[in-house]
Amino acid sequence: HDVAQLVEADLAQGLLPIMVHTVVGMSPYAYSDNISHLEELCTNHGMVLSLDGPGLALLLTKDPVVQPLLDVLMNPRVSVALTLPLYHVFHELPTALWLTYIRMADQANLAMEIVPP
């Protein structure tokens, strides 16, 4: 099933979907969901788009493959929760830290924290 069909089915049953979660890249250049499609779905239904995975490490590069993800993160109309396991970026860290970024739609402020395991 397409996620949009699942959201519509939930709405038809009187449920209120609040979030879509996806893993961005099983490795930096491997499989990833269609982030632009999920962005549109979340914007249309007021849901949070939650992203995590090793593909987010590409945000630290100038690789053109990251542009759709940057477009989502810069869209003020979509709520975003992004979690980046820092060990995908800094392999020499003695512990696995996570960086979390949260922005609600139409709000300029954001919350960011680094969480130890």
Side-chain angles (χ1 to χ4, degrees), residues 9-115:
D10 283 351
L11 291 169
Q13 293 179 17
L15 301 173
L16 181 62
I18 60 169
M19 178 175 64
V20 171
H21 178 81
T22 185
V23 175
V24 179
M26 301 316 258
S27 68
Y29 290 95
Y31 174 79
S32 181
D33 289 322
N34 184 335
I35 303 299
S36 299
H37 173 70
L38 296 176
E39 170 192 22
E40 181 181 344
L41 179 68
C42 288
T43 300
N44 291 342
H45 293 285
M47 296 183 296
V48 173
L49 178 56
S50 174
L51 306 157
D52 75 16
L56 296 178
L58 288 173
L59 290 170
L60 302 174
T61 72
K62 294 184 182 210
D63 193 310
V65 74
V66 79
Q67 191 58 50
L69 182 57
L70 286 173
D71 292 343
V72 169
L73 295 176
M74 302 307 284
N75 180 352
R77 294 179 43 235
V78 67
S79 298
V80 175
L82 181 143
T83 303
L84 174 61
L86 293 180
Y87 61 84
H88 288 295
V89 180
F90 305 107
H91 299 287
E92 302 300 320
L93 285 176
T95 183
L97 298 174
W98 297 79
L99 174 71
T100 301
Y101 165 91
I102 300 167
R103 188 198 67 241
M104 298 309 291
D106 300 320
Q107 294 184 8
N109 60 341
L110 59 95
M112 195 174 332
E113 66 179 333
I114 296 180
V115 181

